[in-house]
Amino acid sequence: MSVNRTILTLDEFTIQQLRDVPNATGELSRLLRDIGLAAKRVNVEVNKAGLVDILGDAGTVNVQGEEVKKLDIYANDQLIRVLKHGISCAGIASEELDDFVAFDDEISNKSKYVCLFDPLDGSANIDVNVSIGTIFCVYKRVTPIGTPVAMEDFLQPGHQQVAAGYVIYGSSTMLVYATRRGVNGFTLDPSIGEWTLSHPDIKCPETGRIYSVNHGNFFEYNEGVKKYITACQKKDKSNGGPYTQRYIGSMVADVHRNLIKGGIFTYPGTTSKPAGKLRLLYECNPFAFIVEVAGGKATDGTKRILDLQPTGLHQRTPFFVGSRLMMEELETYMLIS
Ligand code: P6P
């Protein structure tokens, strides 16, 4: 009789990681498990999103007499709830909130971590059933333990991240997170309601044949970007091609695919939006950290994303991320003014 092989759950994996790190307190492991719990709750609602006619539209009251929230507000609330009630996070910043939130209670103020997140990125795709995602990252606070967190705890350069990850609500629901020890992917097993290790030690292929860009903005890109895109279109078997263009319009889905298969994702600046669209702190930094740990690269076209010194919670940046060799080829074009 065949017996199911032992599949590590997220809890078992993070606890196992603890064993390998001397004098670790387990605080980061608990924080990651808290995020995993919030994501499971979000996943339930995301999977029902197609039933909006039954569940009611945001702003209404459903048959149970509950206020129906927009899914991104619901996701935001779930993340704040688990992190505030946990013992591993002193405060958060969110795409959904203008300012950061200091949890400012005796237990939370003793926590050494802060968390930043985009609770539900790509939520405009929900009503057409396109994969969407949660993006998060974790920093050690720089203000004194025991005090409420302050803005400087959140405006740290991305290379200070201690962990970063995302959840992709797609054909299956996955949680992928990175620490400096590696990138690991967990698939939600609905039969037991657990995140199970399905993609251990993810590495970004050194090169690939997928390039992701919104061609609709082509004539607003700078010369270097236009020349790179044109070069991608001209690839054939003689020079590492042919390339294929894949752009879902949901960053988590696009970057996840390129991380696993190899490829490059771009959201360049344009003449009308020179800083581009994507947010540095809770979209670009987390993915830059994840992809770099997996062996890839991430820049704003010229500078390493993780070296950028943030000046505001919601600042935007042009963003290029992916396989190392493809990023190095892009960089040769970005030197063109
Ligand atoms: P565009 C979704 O709204 C998002 O923030 C990212 O997930 C996605 O990569 C990008 O915007 C798509 O933007 O302008 O190409 O539609």
Side-chain angles (χ1 to χ4, degrees), residues 251 278-289 305 317 319:
M251 179 186 196
L278 302 179
R279 311 286 186 169
L280 172 61
L281 267 63
Y282 40 76
E283 291 177 337
C284 301
N285 268 337
F287 275 116
F289 182 83
I305 286 287
T317 177
F319 189 49

Side-chain angles (χ1 to χ4, degrees), residues 121-122 214 247 249-251 265 267 277-278:
D121 179 73
N214 183 336
Y247 192 76
S250 180
M251 179 186 196
F265 172 87
Y267 204 103
K277 174 182 184 182
L278 302 179

Side-chain angles (χ1 to χ4, degrees), residues 235-303:
K235 292 282 185 184
D236 57 32
K237 287 181 182 174
S238 67
N239 56 7
Y243 279 14
T244 187
Q245 202 267 351
R246 288 284 182 271
Y247 192 76
I248 300 169
S250 180
M251 179 186 196
V252 175
D254 278 317
V255 180
H256 175 71
R257 178 203 54 239
N258 293 0
L259 171 67
I260 302 297
K261 291 180 175 276
I264 187 168
F265 172 87
T266 73
Y267 204 103
T270 60
T271 47
S272 56
K273 296 177 184 173
K277 174 182 184 182
L278 302 179
R279 311 286 186 169
L280 172 61
L281 267 63
Y282 40 76
E283 291 177 337
C284 301
N285 268 337
F287 275 116
F289 182 83
I290 294 162
V291 172
E292 279 203 10
V293 172
K297 295 186 79 172
T299 73
D300 66 357
T302 53
K303 295 183 293 298

Side-chain angles (χ1 to χ4, degrees), residues 97-108:
L97 302 173
D98 291 340
D99 202 355
F100 69 88
V101 175
F103 292 151
D104 195 11
D105 61 70
E106 189 183 348
I107 300 287
S108 298

Side-chain angles (χ1 to χ4, degrees), residues 29 52 94 118 124 138 158 164 225 243 250 252 260 303 324:
S29 298
V52 68
S94 169
D118 183 352
V138 183
V225 172
Y243 279 14
S250 180
V252 175
I260 302 297
K303 295 183 293 298
R324 184 176 63 82

